[in-house]
Amino acid sequence: MTETSLRERKKVATRRALSRAAALLAVERGVEGVTIEAIADAAGVSPRTFHNYFPGKEEAIVAPLTDGAQAVIDALRARPAGEPIWDALREVVREALLPTDTRDETIALVRVVKRNPALVGKQLCGLGEMQRQIAEVIAARTGTHAGRDLYPHLLAGAAGVAMRTAVDLWVDGRTGADLPELIDSAFAQLRAGLPGP
């Protein structure tokens, strides 16, 4: 393994440790009870190191939700070239959302974020960047141009709304459906042109 790849792996591990510590502290103490010093201490690094990865605690708290978006982008790039784009999007969203090993933590974090407008704003900024990157992948897969065509951006936006809506309803627990079922239903409705109930 090269020195560069080892350094990159360490950076990823440090960012993940900081974001997980921030999320767990926010769930445990509330956002107001979280400090950068506490996050750094819980992750075993200095506050200065924290600032190498995040500008503030809010970005660190929502990072487990926004960083997971990269998995969606990478998975979409890896899907079979001939697969219909709606199918590819549905599959990558289903695979990437709420990994089993952090499911309870993620649910608790989503609830904290939903109650805090500052965190909602930070999460939306991260998801906006994800949407832009997904639009580029969609453009490449569909023969459109991300710089001038609406289609890849509309589809990426619709997929993002489907994902956020399914997660929000599932976390609230009022639908009686499981998350994969909600995702499938959301994508089916969008694909059908969102017919009336």
Side-chain angles (χ1 to χ4, degrees):
M1 181 166 291
T2 67
E3 188 62 34
T4 303
S5 64
L6 179 59
R7 186 176 339 134
E8 288 304 313
R9 286 181 60 204
K10 286 182 178 180
K11 286 171 68 174
V12 168
T14 300
R15 180 178 172 89
R16 189 172 291 137
L18 284 164
S19 64
R20 185 160 190 257
L24 291 173
L25 288 168
V27 168
E28 178 186 310
R29 302 178 182 178
V31 177
E32 301 76 20
V34 178
T35 64
I36 288 169
E37 291 74 18
I39 296 168
D41 185 57
V45 299
S46 69
R48 181 177 174 183
T49 298
F50 173 92
H51 287 293
N52 290 335
Y53 292 88
F54 298 103
K57 69 179 184 180
E58 292 84 2
E59 291 85 357
I61 292 168
V62 301
L65 303 176
T66 57
D67 286 358
Q70 189 60 48
V72 173
I73 295 162
D74 293 342
L76 185 57
R77 284 190 180 110
R79 296 299 297 181
E83 182 178 35
I85 191 64
W86 277 109
D87 294 341
L89 284 166
R90 185 192 70 235
E91 288 304 313
V92 300
V93 167
R94 285 188 78 190
E95 291 168 10
L97 280 180
L98 299 181
T100 306
D101 59 337
T102 58
R103 177 180 157 158
D104 292 341
E105 290 173 18
T106 304
I107 292 169
L109 179 58
V110 169
R111 289 180 176 149
V112 168
V113 169
K114 286 175 69 172
R115 291 191 305 264
N116 189 296
L119 294 181
V120 169
K122 297 299 181 187
Q123 182 188 22
L124 289 175
C125 286
L127 293 176
E129 174 58 21
M130 175 186 94
Q131 183 176 319
R132 184 192 64 73
Q133 291 182 47
I134 287 177
E136 290 174 0
V137 177
I138 291 170
R141 289 179 62 98
T142 60
T144 56
H145 191 283
R148 65 173 179 262
D149 293 329
L150 281 172
Y151 181 78
H153 295 280
L154 289 172
L155 188 52
V161 168
M163 179 177 66
R164 287 192 308 274
T165 303
V167 169
D168 283 349
L169 287 172
W170 181 70
V171 165
D172 289 343
R174 296 186 201 142
T175 65
D178 65 7
L179 186 57
E181 183 182 346
L182 288 171
I183 291 167
D184 287 349
S185 179
F187 276 87
Q189 290 182 50
L190 285 172
R191 192 174 192 171
L194 208 59

